[in-house]
Amino acid sequence: MSEARTPAEIEAAIVRRRQELAATLDELAVRVHPRTIAEDAKARAAAVVDRTAGRAYVAVNRAVSDVRERFVDEEGRPRPERIVPVVLVVVGVAGLLVSARRRRR
């Protein structure tokens, strides 16, 4: 039922298995080397930063597009009926800040 192996076949199998074990040990040594661990951690951190920066870029881009849609029509022309009130509020707030600063001095 089971085939008998010759001593040469058994020896070749042992040599092959030793080579496989040596390769596995070499791979494990590389994986647990402090430099490899540090590089992996750095790569993971960079990936997190890239993902976060990408999400921030998309969020800012969306916010800018939303603001632009409010103040510019479909043809790209400014909407004075929306821009003028905002400018007046900004000028008013700036005036209040300036007057408050002058009072402190």
Side-chain angles (χ1 to χ4, degrees), residues 21-90:
L21 288 172
T24 301
L25 287 174
D26 289 344
E27 183 180 339
L28 288 173
V30 169
R31 285 186 187 179
V32 299
H33 192 278
R35 179 177 290 145
T36 304
I37 293 171
E39 288 173 358
D40 288 347
K42 189 166 61 171
R44 282 193 304 273
V48 168
V49 168
D50 287 346
R51 244 189 337 270
T52 303
R55 288 179 184 155
Y57 176 80
V58 168
V60 167
N61 203 9
R62 187 177 303 132
V64 168
S65 294
D66 290 346
V67 169
R68 182 178 160 96
E69 286 177 9
R70 294 175 194 251
F71 295 106
V72 178
D73 64 11
E74 296 81 23
E75 297 171 4
R77 292 178 300 203
R79 294 181 170 174
E81 69 276 4
R82 292 190 178 177
I83 294 173
V84 171
V86 171
V87 169
L88 291 175
V89 167
V90 169

Side-chain angles (χ1 to χ4, degrees), residues 1-6 9-10:
M1 308 310 165
S2 67
E3 294 183 31
R5 298 190 315 179
T6 65
E9 291 172 332
I10 294 171

